Amino acid sequence: QVTLVESGGRKVQAGDSLRLSCAASIRTVSVYAMAWFRQAPGKEREFVAAITWSVGTTEHADSVKGRFTISRDNVKNIMYLQMYNLKPEDTATYFCAARRSDTAATLWSTPGWYDYWGQGTQVTVSS
């Protein structure tokens, strides 16, 4: 089982930076990949970035490339999302997700591919 807890979300001004954290409690299973998604009210859940847990290979959505960077500390079992130059359109609830170790195709941007989800942390960017 994997339990994920996001933290770090808060209200900021446009242009500010913010770092989100996802603390993972990993028990009985291994993790292949973890990811950040975000969801604004009335919108579908949107892929932000993903990372493989052991090697650290990353993938970022086009909408955040150059501004957001995903990383992980696989000793402390913490995943981070460093966000620069935040914009009002970044306002959303940000969710942490994890996929169990698997040989299946890597579907980074598909919410249904992930096995575990956190409760989310709210990021609000004011203009």
Side-chain angles (χ1 to χ4, degrees), residues 2-101:
V2 178
T3 301
L4 307 172
V5 180
E6 304 93 337
S7 63
R10 62 184 178 91
K11 183 178 180 180
V12 298
Q13 295 182 337
D16 284 354
S17 299
L18 191 63
R19 187 176 75 165
L20 305 182
S21 299
C22 174
S25 177
I26 305 172
R27 297 169 6 110
T28 73
V29 299
S30 60
V31 168
Y32 170 68
M34 295 183 67
W36 288 100
F37 287 77
R38 65 186 182 185
Q39 188 168 23
K43 302 293 182 64
E44 294 185 357
R45 195 159 296 189
E46 175 189 20
F47 172 74
V48 177
I51 188 168
T52 59
W53 202 243
S54 61
V55 177
T57 303
T58 63
E59 179 71 22
H60 295 79
D62 290 340
S63 60
V64 303
K65 284 182 179 178
R67 296 192 301 120
F68 293 6
T69 301
I70 191 172
S71 63
R72 91 280 185 260
D73 182 336
N74 55 7
V75 175
K76 297 181 178 180
N77 287 337
I78 301 175
M79 180 178 67
Y80 302 98
L81 184 68
Q82 180 65 58
M83 304 182 290
Y84 297 103
N85 191 25
L86 284 161
K87 303 176 180 180
E89 52 263 43
D90 295 318
T91 295
T93 301
Y94 284 71
F95 296 91
C96 179
R99 168 75 183 188
R100 295 192 303 268
S101 182

